[in-house]
Amino acid sequence: MLNMQQTKHITSPTPYASSDDFRRIFYERTDELYQLSFLLTADHEKAEQCFVSGLENSIKGNRVFKEWARSWARRAIVQCAVRVINPTPMEEGSRSIADSEGSTPVVEHGEIAAILRLRPFERFVYVMSVLERYSDHDCSVLLGCARQDVIAARTRAFQQIGATEFTLSTR
């Protein structure tokens, strides 16, 4: 007969990310997570807001496996930025508010400046699909639009970034 008092319970570490795991990720990867926020929002104040909200949402949100914690933290920032900016597909040829007000922040890196000059929807699609490698389906779900809108916006983003790089290289 088995003596229950002598039985040892085997405990293994939880496979789920804890709030401390997310705090550590946001602390260790502050620069890259903030850069993601900034590339999406094109505004330092809104980027800070998305960074903080991303941390809070990661800590308080659904439980995820530890292996997924980094990508979950990035996704939380993307979701916050979508809520803050609310990028929507625009008809080709229309101008964004940023275009008309000239509110693109001044940055030193040409690649970052080219991304920040994109209209909000194209910027989100470019950052999400090209830099973050989200699928067209995931982009369309997160942005609340059709997959065709994502594909068209990415094409426009590539065209505009390509034109910017050509202009910079001919100076």
Side-chain angles (χ1 to χ4, degrees), residues 88-97 99-100 119 122 156:
T88 56
M90 297 174 61
E91 290 185 27
E92 221 171 317
S94 64
R95 294 170 53 94
S96 71
I97 294 170
D99 292 338
S100 59
R119 288 181 231 141
E122 283 78 6
R156 289 190 301 272

Side-chain angles (χ1 to χ4, degrees), residues 32-149:
E32 71 184 65
L33 293 173
Y34 177 80
Q35 183 174 358
L36 172 62
S37 295
F38 182 63
L39 286 174
L40 291 168
T41 62
D43 178 279
H44 287 292
E45 187 176 314
K46 290 176 182 173
E48 289 175 17
Q49 176 186 349
C50 291
F51 180 89
V52 171
S53 293
L55 172 60
E56 291 172 354
N57 292 345
S58 295
I59 290 171
K60 296 175 185 175
N62 296 332
R63 292 172 42 128
V64 298
F65 291 116
K66 282 186 181 184
E67 298 85 34
W68 297 351
R70 281 191 199 133
S71 61
W72 192 260
R74 297 180 81 78
R75 188 177 184 95
I77 286 174
V78 169
Q79 290 173 319
C80 291
V82 168
R83 280 193 302 275
V84 168
I85 302 298
N86 191 28
T88 56
M90 297 174 61
E91 290 185 27
E92 221 171 317
S94 64
R95 294 170 53 94
S96 71
I97 294 170
D99 292 338
S100 59
E101 294 176 359
S103 62
T104 302
V106 176
V107 293
E108 294 180 19
H109 301 292
E111 302 86 9
I112 293 174
I115 294 169
L116 296 178
R117 279 193 287 275
L118 295 171
R119 288 181 231 141
F121 187 73
E122 283 78 6
R123 187 176 63 244
F124 269 77
V125 168
Y126 182 84
V127 170
M128 291 169 64
S129 68
V130 177
L131 303 181
E132 294 295 310
R133 301 182 193 275
Y134 283 27
S135 69
D136 291 346
H137 175 76
D138 285 345
C139 288
S140 68
V141 168
L142 287 167
L143 293 169
C145 65
R147 216 168 69 77
Q148 305 89 277
D149 293 331

